[in-house]
Amino acid sequence: MIELVNISKSYDGKINVIEKLNLKINKGEIVVLIGESGCGKTTTLRMINRLNEPTGGTIMIDGQDYKKMSKIELRRQLGYVIQKVGLMPHLTVGKNIEMIPELKGWDKEKRKERAYELLTTVDLPPEDYYDRYPHELSGGQQQRVGVARALAVNPDIILMDEPFSALDPVTREQLQKELLRLQDELGKTIVFVTHDMDEALKIGDRIAVMKDGKIIQYDTPEEILKNPADDFVEYFVGKDRLWKSPEMLRASDIMHKSLITVGQRRTPAQVIEVMKEKDLETLFIVEKETSKPQPPIGYITRESLREQGSNESKMSDICNREFETVQHDSKMTDVLKIMDNKLVRSLPVLDDNGNLIGMITRASILNLITKAVVNEEENQ
Amino acid sequence: MNDMNFFQFMASRSDELIRLTIQHIQITGLAVLLAVMLGVPVGIFISKNRSLRSPILGLANVFQTIPSLALFGLIIPLLGTGYVPSVFVLFLYALLPIIKNTFIGINSVEESIIDAGRGMGMTTNQILTKVEMPLALPVIMGGIRISTVINIGTATIAALIGAGGLGEMIFKGISMASDNMVLAGAVPTALLAIFMDKVLGMVETKLTPIGITSQKDKAN
């Protein structure tokens, strides 16, 4: 775990580039620092391995003040990957990876074994690549070597400073995917700096949005998308971003929250009145008409009521008890599938206890599209 | 005078010429060696110390701009004549290209490579010996090569203050108005310069790391 406590940084002694910054990065998490250039994200990252020294505050690594270690020792415990890769051009790929192991005094056999292992991990066949020189490799391959080098002495923490920003979009996406795969396998703690929100949303377990040396919001990608802390975050995320990431949308984000239900003892005439008043085609039936959350019993449509005509039967007798439901955290893609396949008009959304908390109708989805396309402010 | 006469002259003086050539090599060799021993560390030093950079380069430049003839004259009151002052003057001449090239060589190592090295946990010394020096070596070698070639020429003037070398033959030829004798000093000097340039060029290539050489080939 990395903990930045009240970190400040000033280059000239007057202006603070970083102002009393606090950040907690849990073990095994990918945390993305994002912001416009000059916001202090790279400075923050470089303070963790002491390439920049903070002017105030301290950094704790696994509960220990990081200054207890020598700079060299500290840096060898933290992998470091940078945008320009910075491979040593006079050394082969293998020797580049073996640099720190060699300085640490590993014997030749062990070094080579490790380099082979790591080249395999980053998907560069070692037989082909071990003896090549960096300039013979494409940008993407060079950065793979960069990542392998950072992993050489198996650090728990890896610092990455815009590692994929200089790559073409296809290669970038490939490496992003592989980073996530690597992360699944190795479970490192990764601090990742980028200015690309797409990348941040794709990679980050948590995202710290920075501006003027401060963290404006530190949250999961979903929270950042759905509840931006202020206008800057919202602007930075892009208003239509949520729509572009439908996998982030949950049933509870698109449902109508103003629930209209009727109790099971109501008669058809009463229910028709409610439907007329609220302009509804379908109503869900619950046990009692209270504001307390309760599970839905069934539903009734205006059409079926019309067929019934006016009589004294109760809703509990005539309602349709066969219906689809979704959980509040179901993905929107699943919701759409159900609505499409089953030709459902209204889909009740249930909480973890099976109680009705909202309703998704075709209209609510239309609303969402309208919001995205018209690019309006979100009202929830 | 025909060519045969010149070669006959050379042949007749071969013992003396060999002696003078060896002397010539000794003077320039020692001067360059000393210049490397001082110039490379100074070059490294100013690549790390911004504030001392321009005074030191300026000073070395001054030596380069003083006409060699004048410098040899000026050294006599200080160190007298003979071998030592000659080597000293030549040493001063050799310094600038070596200091400058060392500085340029180290300074031109890409910042990102150094940054990666530091970030990985290499010490300043390790970065110097494992990264900066190997990458700067061809450029430093280029400086040594320039110094050597210039020095082989300049060393002929050192004969004026009694250093010996092939300059002796040239000056003797001038005073005796013997073209053969002037040429007998000048031609071996030129050949020596060309030869050393080739040899040092080969060393330079040899010292250039493979990763850099093939990079250049690719660029060409």
Side-chain angles (χ1 to χ4, degrees), chain A residues 79-160:
Chain A
Y80 185 50
V81 183
I82 56 176
Q83 183 183 345
K84 288 187 175 164
V85 193
L87 295 178
M88 317 287 165
H90 57 299
L91 301 177
T92 59
V93 165
K95 292 280 173 263
N96 262 289
I97 297 173
E98 289 172 20
M99 179 61 91
I100 293 301
E102 190 187 335
L103 293 177
K104 280 191 129 182
W106 292 19
D107 62 56
K108 216 173 166 184
E109 292 291 300
K110 192 178 166 198
R111 272 178 356 223
K112 187 162 179 177
E113 198 180 304
R114 180 66 177 155
Y116 262 62
E117 187 187 333
L118 286 168
L119 281 171
T120 314
T121 309
V122 296
D123 220 14
L124 296 174
E127 318 72 66
D128 296 341
Y129 286 91
Y130 184 84
D131 286 318
R132 308 246 316 248
Y133 282 92
H135 71 92
E136 299 171 307
L137 272 51
S138 71
Q141 291 169 334
Q142 288 189 15
Q143 194 56 288
R144 283 166 195 267
V145 178
V147 172
R149 177 176 66 176
L151 293 168
V153 291
N154 204 13
D156 293 329
I157 299 166
I158 298 176
L159 310 177
M160 304 184 106

XYZ file of all heavy atoms in Angstrom, chain A residues 79-160:
660
model
N 8.967 -0.723 -9.837
C 9.177 -0.740 -11.283
C 8.869 0.627 -11.854
O 8.058 1.363 -11.299
N 9.527 0.984 -12.950
C 9.329 2.323 -13.508
C 9.258 2.215 -15.023
O 10.183 1.713 -15.662
C 10.494 3.210 -13.070
C 10.393 4.669 -13.451
C 9.239 5.392 -13.172
C 11.450 5.328 -14.045
C 9.144 6.734 -13.500
C 11.380 6.673 -14.373
C 10.220 7.374 -14.089
O 10.146 8.711 -14.404
N 8.173 2.671 -15.593
C 7.987 2.624 -17.047
C 7.634 4.027 -17.522
O 6.759 4.663 -16.946
C 6.843 1.656 -17.435
C 6.707 1.557 -18.946
C 7.077 0.281 -16.835
N 8.347 4.519 -18.539
C 8.074 5.883 -19.003
C 7.660 5.913 -20.465
O 7.863 4.942 -21.194
C 9.298 6.808 -18.789
C 10.535 6.229 -19.482
C 9.551 7.010 -17.316
C 11.742 7.130 -19.403
N 7.103 7.042 -20.839
C 6.555 7.176 -22.195
C 7.606 6.909 -23.267
O 7.353 6.210 -24.232
C 5.989 8.592 -22.370
C 5.337 8.767 -23.716
C 4.836 10.187 -23.926
O 4.728 10.978 -22.997
N 4.510 10.512 -25.149
N 8.798 7.465 -23.062
C 9.822 7.316 -24.100
C 10.611 6.017 -23.952
O 11.640 5.838 -24.600
C 10.770 8.512 -24.067
C 10.111 9.764 -24.597
C 11.117 10.874 -24.715
C 10.525 12.107 -25.354
N 11.396 13.272 -25.103
N 10.150 5.129 -23.115
C 10.726 3.813 -22.856
C 12.112 3.903 -22.232
O 12.340 3.393 -21.150
C 10.776 2.915 -24.121
C 11.070 1.488 -23.717
C 9.470 2.994 -24.884
N 13.047 4.577 -22.961
C 14.387 4.748 -22.395
C 15.180 3.460 -22.281
O 15.875 3.236 -21.299
N 15.077 2.617 -23.311
C 15.939 1.431 -23.319
C 17.355 1.872 -23.645
O 17.559 2.842 -24.366
C 15.463 0.426 -24.371
C 14.098 -0.202 -24.141
C 13.756 -1.132 -25.298
C 14.067 -0.972 -22.828
N 18.349 1.145 -23.101
C 19.731 1.470 -23.390
C 20.039 0.991 -24.812
O 20.026 -0.213 -25.066
C 20.670 0.766 -22.407
C 20.204 0.814 -20.956
S 20.404 2.453 -20.268
C 19.416 2.386 -18.791
N 20.311 1.935 -25.740
C 20.438 1.538 -27.146
C 21.654 0.659 -27.416
O 21.688 -0.044 -28.414
C 20.573 2.876 -27.882
C 20.996 3.853 -26.852
C 20.468 3.371 -25.540
N 22.660 0.707 -26.508
C 23.878 -0.053 -26.764
C 23.805 -1.460 -26.193
O 24.750 -2.220 -26.311
C 25.090 0.678 -26.201
C 24.997 0.962 -24.722
N 23.996 1.740 -24.182
C 25.758 0.563 -23.693
C 24.159 1.815 -22.878
N 25.214 1.108 -22.556
N 22.684 -1.772 -25.564
C 22.549 -3.107 -24.981
C 21.431 -3.868 -25.680
O 20.462 -3.284 -26.147
C 22.212 -2.985 -23.486
C 23.221 -2.238 -22.621
C 22.724 -2.147 -21.194
C 24.584 -2.910 -22.666
N 21.578 -5.196 -25.711
C 20.531 -6.013 -26.310
C 19.299 -5.980 -25.412
O 19.363 -5.556 -24.256
C 20.975 -7.480 -26.438
O 21.287 -7.969 -25.131
C 22.185 -7.626 -27.332
N 18.200 -6.431 -25.964
C 16.952 -6.517 -25.211
C 17.188 -7.293 -23.908
O 16.799 -6.856 -22.824
C 15.881 -7.211 -26.076
C 14.705 -7.658 -25.236
C 15.430 -6.281 -27.190
N 17.876 -8.411 -24.035
C 18.150 -9.242 -22.862
C 18.931 -8.484 -21.803
O 18.568 -8.464 -20.629
N 20.001 -7.813 -22.243
C 20.852 -7.092 -21.294
C 20.106 -5.921 -20.658
O 20.351 -5.552 -19.519
C 22.119 -6.580 -21.987
C 23.052 -7.687 -22.421
C 23.889 -8.192 -21.251
C 24.714 -9.411 -21.630
N 24.128 -10.697 -21.268
N 19.215 -5.321 -21.425
C 18.407 -4.239 -20.874
C 17.570 -4.742 -19.708
O 17.493 -4.100 -18.665
C 17.486 -3.662 -21.953
C 18.056 -2.403 -22.592
O 18.110 -1.358 -21.959
N 18.501 -2.525 -23.816
N 16.942 -5.893 -19.907
C 16.096 -6.446 -18.853
C 16.952 -6.860 -17.651
O 16.536 -6.733 -16.507
C 15.288 -7.639 -19.394
C 14.353 -7.170 -20.512
C 14.476 -8.311 -18.286
C 13.642 -8.280 -21.235
N 18.168 -7.305 -17.944
C 19.023 -7.838 -16.876
C 19.804 -6.767 -16.131
O 20.560 -7.080 -15.209
C 20.021 -8.846 -17.478
C 19.357 -10.134 -17.928
C 20.339 -11.015 -18.683
O 21.562 -10.831 -18.526
O 19.883 -11.887 -19.429
N 19.637 -5.505 -16.548
C 20.448 -4.439 -15.955
C 20.410 -4.429 -14.424
O 21.451 -4.536 -13.764
C 19.987 -3.085 -16.513
C 20.728 -1.886 -15.949
S 22.486 -1.910 -16.296
C 22.560 -1.024 -17.839
N 19.219 -4.308 -13.858
C 19.148 -4.223 -12.401
C 19.507 -5.554 -11.728
O 20.287 -5.574 -10.770
C 17.775 -3.677 -11.947
C 17.628 -2.211 -12.378
C 17.584 -3.779 -10.442
C 18.689 -1.267 -11.832
N 19.004 -6.681 -12.257
C 19.467 -7.955 -11.677
C 20.995 -8.052 -11.652
O 21.582 -8.518 -10.676
C 18.866 -9.001 -12.621
C 17.632 -8.380 -13.149
C 17.927 -6.910 -13.237
N 21.633 -7.555 -12.726
C 23.089 -7.611 -12.782
C 23.706 -6.725 -11.703
O 24.623 -7.129 -10.983
C 23.565 -7.171 -14.166
C 25.055 -7.427 -14.377
C 25.563 -6.837 -15.685
O 24.755 -6.653 -16.617
O 26.774 -6.568 -15.743
N 23.161 -5.511 -11.567
C 23.688 -4.605 -10.542
C 23.442 -5.167 -9.143
O 24.184 -4.876 -8.210
C 23.043 -3.218 -10.674
C 23.408 -2.444 -11.946
C 22.666 -1.129 -12.003
C 24.910 -2.205 -12.026
N 22.397 -5.967 -9.033
C 22.110 -6.567 -7.731
C 22.960 -7.813 -7.484
O 22.867 -8.426 -6.425
C 20.625 -6.947 -7.648
C 19.712 -5.772 -7.331
C 18.329 -6.248 -7.005
C 17.849 -5.655 -5.695
N 16.515 -6.153 -5.345
N 23.728 -8.193 -8.500
C 24.661 -9.300 -8.326
C 24.069 -10.679 -8.558
O 24.627 -11.673 -8.084
N 22.986 -10.758 -9.306
C 22.474 -12.086 -9.644
C 23.481 -12.771 -10.566
O 24.129 -12.109 -11.373
C 21.147 -11.980 -10.415
C 19.999 -11.457 -9.636
C 20.053 -10.747 -8.479
C 18.624 -11.576 -9.977
N 18.777 -10.426 -8.082
C 17.883 -10.926 -8.979
C 17.934 -12.180 -11.037
C 16.494 -10.856 -9.014
C 16.560 -12.103 -11.067
C 15.845 -11.459 -10.056
N 23.553 -14.107 -10.478
C 24.487 -14.753 -11.395
C 23.857 -14.854 -12.786
O 22.662 -14.690 -12.988
C 24.964 -16.108 -10.872
C 23.818 -17.077 -10.719
O 23.108 -17.301 -11.712
O 23.631 -17.605 -9.602
N 24.744 -15.135 -13.751
C 24.390 -15.055 -15.165
C 23.205 -15.946 -15.528
O 22.286 -15.519 -16.224
C 25.624 -15.461 -15.989
C 25.749 -14.669 -17.252
C 27.060 -14.990 -17.925
C 27.026 -14.472 -19.357
N 28.227 -14.828 -20.115
N 23.232 -17.158 -15.022
C 22.181 -18.128 -15.329
C 20.812 -17.608 -14.896
O 19.852 -17.607 -15.650
C 22.469 -19.449 -14.582
C 23.682 -20.170 -15.097
C 23.441 -20.713 -16.497
O 22.504 -21.539 -16.637
O 24.155 -20.300 -17.431
N 20.780 -17.159 -13.655
C 19.523 -16.710 -13.068
C 18.987 -15.496 -13.816
O 17.783 -15.372 -14.057
C 19.785 -16.350 -11.595
C 18.510 -16.134 -10.787
C 18.839 -15.837 -9.329
C 17.639 -15.281 -8.597
N 18.017 -14.600 -7.357
N 19.921 -14.597 -14.208
C 19.534 -13.391 -14.934
C 18.880 -13.742 -16.257
O 17.834 -13.239 -16.615
C 20.785 -12.555 -15.225
C 21.099 -11.633 -14.119
C 22.339 -10.798 -14.273
N 23.195 -10.961 -15.401
C 24.525 -10.995 -15.313
N 25.114 -10.920 -14.138
N 25.263 -11.096 -16.388
N 19.538 -14.641 -16.970
C 19.059 -14.993 -18.296
C 17.709 -15.707 -18.199
O 16.788 -15.446 -18.975
C 20.085 -15.883 -18.997
C 19.721 -16.146 -20.427
C 20.896 -16.645 -21.240
C 20.412 -16.903 -22.677
N 21.495 -17.323 -23.552
N 17.606 -16.561 -17.208
C 16.360 -17.288 -16.993
C 15.217 -16.305 -16.764
O 14.143 -16.422 -17.348
C 16.540 -18.184 -15.767
C 15.558 -19.303 -15.629
C 15.853 -20.094 -14.366
O 17.005 -20.575 -14.219
O 14.961 -20.193 -13.525
N 15.494 -15.302 -15.921
C 14.490 -14.293 -15.608
C 14.107 -13.484 -16.846
O 12.931 -13.225 -17.098
C 15.036 -13.357 -14.505
C 14.092 -12.266 -14.072
C 12.872 -12.821 -13.380
N 11.995 -11.759 -12.912
C 10.694 -11.906 -12.708
N 10.127 -13.083 -12.906
N 9.968 -10.904 -12.287
N 15.123 -13.109 -17.630
C 14.852 -12.331 -18.841
C 13.983 -13.138 -19.810
O 13.038 -12.614 -20.400
C 16.158 -11.925 -19.511
N 14.293 -14.428 -19.952
C 13.505 -15.297 -20.826
C 12.058 -15.359 -20.349
O 11.124 -15.236 -21.113
C 14.116 -16.708 -20.862
C 14.995 -16.939 -22.066
C 16.145 -16.183 -22.262
C 14.664 -17.902 -23.013
C 16.956 -16.388 -23.365
C 15.466 -18.113 -24.128
C 16.614 -17.362 -24.297
O 17.402 -17.554 -25.399
N 11.937 -15.544 -19.038
C 10.606 -15.645 -18.437
C 9.797 -14.372 -18.707
O 8.639 -14.422 -19.117
C 10.813 -15.847 -16.934
C 9.590 -16.144 -16.121
C 9.938 -16.147 -14.627
O 11.113 -16.426 -14.273
O 9.060 -15.843 -13.822
N 10.449 -13.220 -18.506
C 9.742 -11.954 -18.657
C 9.400 -11.655 -20.115
O 8.326 -11.134 -20.412
C 10.569 -10.810 -18.073
C 10.592 -10.781 -16.552
C 11.644 -9.818 -16.051
C 9.227 -10.403 -16.007
N 10.316 -12.008 -21.022
C 10.014 -11.793 -22.441
C 8.796 -12.615 -22.838
O 7.944 -12.159 -23.594
C 11.224 -12.156 -23.305
C 12.315 -11.092 -23.354
C 13.556 -11.615 -24.055
C 11.814 -9.843 -24.074
N 8.707 -13.822 -22.291
C 7.528 -14.647 -22.558
C 6.283 -13.974 -21.991
O 5.242 -13.930 -22.642
C 7.693 -16.043 -21.925
O 8.999 -16.517 -22.249
C 6.656 -17.011 -22.437
N 6.415 -13.446 -20.784
C 5.280 -12.781 -20.140
C 4.746 -11.622 -20.982
O 3.554 -11.427 -21.097
C 5.706 -12.212 -18.767
O 6.343 -13.248 -18.042
C 4.516 -11.702 -17.990
N 5.654 -10.842 -21.584
C 5.185 -9.693 -22.370
C 4.985 -10.071 -23.836
O 4.864 -9.205 -24.701
C 6.137 -8.473 -22.263
C 6.180 -7.965 -20.847
C 7.532 -8.816 -22.770
N 4.964 -11.384 -24.095
C 4.587 -11.870 -25.418
C 5.617 -11.569 -26.509
O 5.255 -11.322 -27.648
C 3.223 -11.261 -25.810
C 2.359 -12.289 -26.508
O 2.705 -13.477 -26.426
O 1.354 -11.895 -27.126
N 6.888 -11.543 -26.142
C 7.948 -11.455 -27.134
C 8.756 -12.752 -27.022
O 9.436 -12.940 -26.025
C 8.868 -10.258 -26.865
C 8.282 -8.849 -26.964
C 9.321 -7.821 -26.520
C 7.823 -8.547 -28.367
N 8.660 -13.640 -28.013
C 9.379 -14.918 -27.906
C 10.867 -14.685 -27.626
O 11.541 -14.053 -28.430
C 9.187 -15.550 -29.288
C 7.986 -14.878 -29.856
C 7.908 -13.515 -29.250
N 11.368 -15.172 -26.496
C 12.743 -14.866 -26.099
C 13.791 -15.326 -27.116
O 14.780 -14.627 -27.324
C 12.936 -15.594 -24.770
C 11.680 -16.314 -24.486
C 10.642 -15.930 -25.475
N 13.554 -16.465 -27.772
C 14.540 -16.955 -28.749
C 14.757 -15.890 -29.824
O 15.848 -15.722 -30.339
C 14.095 -18.231 -29.470
C 13.420 -19.321 -28.659
C 12.018 -18.993 -28.210
O 11.127 -18.870 -29.069
O 11.821 -18.850 -26.987
N 13.695 -15.168 -30.180
C 13.792 -14.186 -31.256
C 14.264 -12.828 -30.762
O 14.854 -12.068 -31.504
C 12.423 -13.985 -31.921
C 11.941 -15.260 -32.604
O 12.797 -16.127 -32.871
O 10.730 -15.389 -32.845
N 13.954 -12.512 -29.522
C 14.149 -11.125 -29.103
C 15.307 -10.900 -28.139
O 15.801 -9.794 -28.020
C 12.846 -10.568 -28.502
C 11.816 -10.293 -29.558
C 10.889 -11.263 -29.925
C 11.797 -9.076 -30.222
C 9.961 -11.019 -30.927
C 10.876 -8.819 -31.210
C 9.958 -9.795 -31.570
O 9.056 -9.554 -32.549
N 15.737 -11.926 -27.442
C 16.749 -11.748 -26.399
C 17.989 -11.023 -26.925
O 18.524 -10.135 -26.271
C 17.132 -13.107 -25.808
C 18.102 -13.032 -24.669
C 17.653 -12.788 -23.370
C 19.471 -13.178 -24.879
C 18.542 -12.712 -22.319
C 20.364 -13.092 -23.823
C 19.903 -12.864 -22.543
O 20.774 -12.773 -21.509
N 18.442 -11.380 -28.120
C 19.692 -10.834 -28.639
C 19.513 -9.650 -29.581
O 20.470 -9.177 -30.179
C 20.482 -11.936 -29.355
C 21.093 -12.901 -28.350
O 21.615 -12.430 -27.325
O 21.032 -14.125 -28.586
N 18.287 -9.173 -29.724
C 18.079 -8.045 -30.639
C 18.398 -6.739 -29.913
O 18.425 -6.672 -28.693
C 16.626 -8.010 -31.116
C 16.184 -9.319 -31.676
C 15.847 -9.420 -33.133
N 15.068 -8.442 -33.829
C 13.856 -8.692 -34.299
N 13.224 -9.804 -33.993
N 13.254 -7.816 -35.057
N 18.608 -5.698 -30.733
C 18.849 -4.376 -30.155
C 17.560 -3.551 -30.201
O 16.735 -3.744 -31.091
C 19.973 -3.674 -30.903
C 21.328 -4.188 -30.478
C 21.939 -5.236 -31.148
C 21.966 -3.648 -29.359
C 23.163 -5.738 -30.726
C 23.182 -4.135 -28.937
C 23.789 -5.185 -29.620
O 24.982 -5.664 -29.192
N 17.409 -2.633 -29.255
C 16.164 -1.873 -29.156
C 15.705 -1.232 -30.468
O 14.539 -1.264 -30.787
C 16.493 -0.799 -28.124
C 17.519 -1.420 -27.260
C 18.324 -2.328 -28.155
N 16.661 -0.682 -31.233
C 16.236 0.052 -32.438
C 15.655 -0.871 -33.509
O 15.055 -0.407 -34.464
C 17.413 0.839 -33.014
C 18.455 -0.036 -33.642
N 18.442 -0.357 -34.974
C 19.492 -0.690 -33.106
C 19.460 -1.160 -35.234
N 20.104 -1.383 -34.125
N 15.855 -2.174 -33.343
C 15.281 -3.109 -34.318
C 13.819 -3.419 -34.017
O 13.175 -4.151 -34.741
C 16.063 -4.431 -34.306
C 17.525 -4.274 -34.666
C 18.308 -5.558 -34.434
O 18.250 -6.107 -33.313
O 18.970 -6.014 -35.370
N 13.341 -2.868 -32.899
C 11.982 -3.171 -32.453
C 11.034 -2.014 -32.754
O 11.451 -0.863 -32.803
C 11.989 -3.424 -30.934
C 12.266 -4.831 -30.417
C 13.522 -5.418 -31.020
C 12.363 -4.814 -28.906
N 9.765 -2.343 -32.933
C 8.765 -1.283 -33.108
C 8.508 -0.619 -31.763
O 8.911 -1.132 -30.721
C 7.470 -1.892 -33.633
O 6.863 -2.654 -32.613
N 7.826 0.515 -31.803
C 7.529 1.244 -30.568
C 6.803 0.380 -29.550
O 7.120 0.396 -28.364
N 5.832 -0.381 -30.031
C 5.059 -1.231 -29.129
C 5.916 -2.322 -28.509
O 5.830 -2.595 -27.311
N 6.783 -2.913 -29.343
C 7.672 -3.964 -28.822
C 8.656 -3.385 -27.820
O 8.952 -4.001 -26.797
C 8.429 -4.617 -29.986
C 7.527 -5.440 -30.886
C 8.229 -5.848 -32.169
O 9.155 -5.183 -32.630
N 7.788 -6.949 -32.749
N 9.155 -2.174 -28.113
C 10.083 -1.537 -27.171
C 9.421 -1.349 -25.814
O 10.024 -1.601 -24.777
C 10.546 -0.184 -27.711
C 11.498 -0.310 -28.873
C 12.127 1.014 -29.261
O 12.091 1.989 -28.524
N 12.724 1.050 -30.429
N 8.157 -0.913 -25.837
C 7.496 -0.679 -24.558
C 7.217 -1.998 -23.835
O 7.232 -2.056 -22.614
C 6.226 0.159 -24.742
C 5.658 0.737 -23.452
C 6.658 1.590 -22.675
O 7.612 1.076 -22.066
N 6.466 2.896 -22.670
N 6.996 -3.073 -24.594
C 6.867 -4.381 -23.946
C 8.149 -4.719 -23.190
O 8.117 -5.215 -22.069
C 6.611 -5.481 -24.982
C 5.187 -5.510 -25.490
C 5.118 -6.369 -26.741
N 3.869 -6.126 -27.437
C 2.772 -6.854 -27.255
N 2.807 -7.882 -26.443
N 1.663 -6.565 -27.896
N 9.280 -4.428 -23.854
C 10.557 -4.658 -23.183
C 10.658 -3.747 -21.959
O 11.122 -4.170 -20.890
C 11.753 -4.424 -24.143
C 13.068 -4.614 -23.413
C 11.671 -5.347 -25.340
N 10.180 -2.506 -22.124
C 10.177 -1.570 -21.001
C 9.420 -2.135 -19.803
O 9.862 -2.019 -18.660
N 8.279 -2.747 -20.082
C 7.486 -3.334 -19.009
C 8.216 -4.543 -18.409
O 8.286 -4.698 -17.186
C 6.075 -3.737 -19.520
C 5.318 -4.519 -18.460
C 5.287 -2.499 -19.917
N 8.800 -5.361 -19.283
C 9.548 -6.527 -18.800
C 10.693 -6.085 -17.888
O 10.937 -6.664 -16.834
C 10.102 -7.323 -19.986
N 11.365 -5.001 -18.290
C 12.482 -4.498 -17.503
C 12.001 -4.036 -16.126
O 12.661 -4.273 -15.110
C 13.150 -3.348 -18.260
C 14.278 -2.697 -17.497
C 14.968 -1.641 -18.303
N 14.086 -0.502 -18.570
C 14.487 0.604 -19.199
N 15.718 0.701 -19.637
N 13.652 1.588 -19.393
N 10.833 -3.389 -16.125
C 10.305 -2.900 -14.851
C 9.966 -4.058 -13.916
O 9.974 -3.903 -12.696
C 9.073 -2.040 -15.093
N 9.675 -5.214 -14.500
C 9.293 -6.363 -13.683
C 10.500 -7.196 -13.252
O 10.357 -8.147 -12.486
C 8.329 -7.263 -14.465
C 6.941 -6.687 -14.778
C 6.228 -7.571 -15.785
C 6.114 -6.555 -13.515
N 11.687 -6.827 -13.750
C 12.862 -7.701 -13.633
C 13.107 -8.233 -12.223
O 13.281 -9.431 -12.036
C 14.099 -6.991 -14.159
N 13.123 -7.354 -11.245
C 13.426 -7.843 -9.899
C 12.144 -8.033 -9.083
O 12.156 -8.008 -7.860
C 14.426 -6.934 -9.151
C 15.797 -7.035 -9.787
C 13.960 -5.488 -9.131
N 11.058 -8.225 -9.837
C 9.764 -8.550 -9.245
C 9.299 -7.569 -8.163
O 9.015 -7.969 -7.035
C 9.820 -9.966 -8.660
C 8.438 -10.579 -8.581
O 7.501 -10.046 -9.186
N 8.313 -11.655 -7.839
N 9.192 -6.294 -8.525
C 8.726 -5.307 -7.548
C 7.225 -5.456 -7.314
O 6.506 -5.926 -8.201
C 9.017 -3.972 -8.230
C 8.969 -4.265 -9.688
C 9.409 -5.685 -9.848
N 6.765 -5.079 -6.129
C 5.328 -5.164 -5.836
C 4.578 -3.995 -6.448
O 3.381 -4.057 -6.688
C 5.090 -5.138 -4.315
C 5.625 -6.396 -3.664
O 5.603 -7.433 -4.337
O 6.071 -6.323 -2.508
N 5.323 -2.904 -6.633
C 4.696 -1.666 -7.102
C 5.326 -1.267 -8.432
O 6.542 -1.356 -8.601
C 4.903 -0.536 -6.078
C 4.259 -0.923 -4.743
C 4.342 0.781 -6.593
C 4.674 -0.047 -3.587
N 4.486 -0.846 -9.373
C 5.012 -0.381 -10.647
C 4.469 1.014 -10.933
O 3.266 1.257 -10.833
C 4.643 -1.338 -11.792
C 5.269 -2.697 -11.513
C 5.142 -0.807 -13.129
C 4.913 -3.750 -12.493
N 5.369 1.920 -11.252
C 4.981 3.280 -11.597
C 5.041 3.414 -13.112
O 6.044 3.070 -13.726
C 5.931 4.291 -10.946
C 6.174 4.109 -9.452
C 7.203 5.135 -8.953
C 4.880 4.232 -8.671
N 3.967 3.908 -13.700
C 3.947 4.023 -15.161
C 3.570 5.447 -15.543
O 2.508 5.935 -15.198
C 2.947 3.036 -15.760
C 3.214 1.602 -15.356
S 2.093 0.447 -16.178
C 3.187 -0.288 -17.355
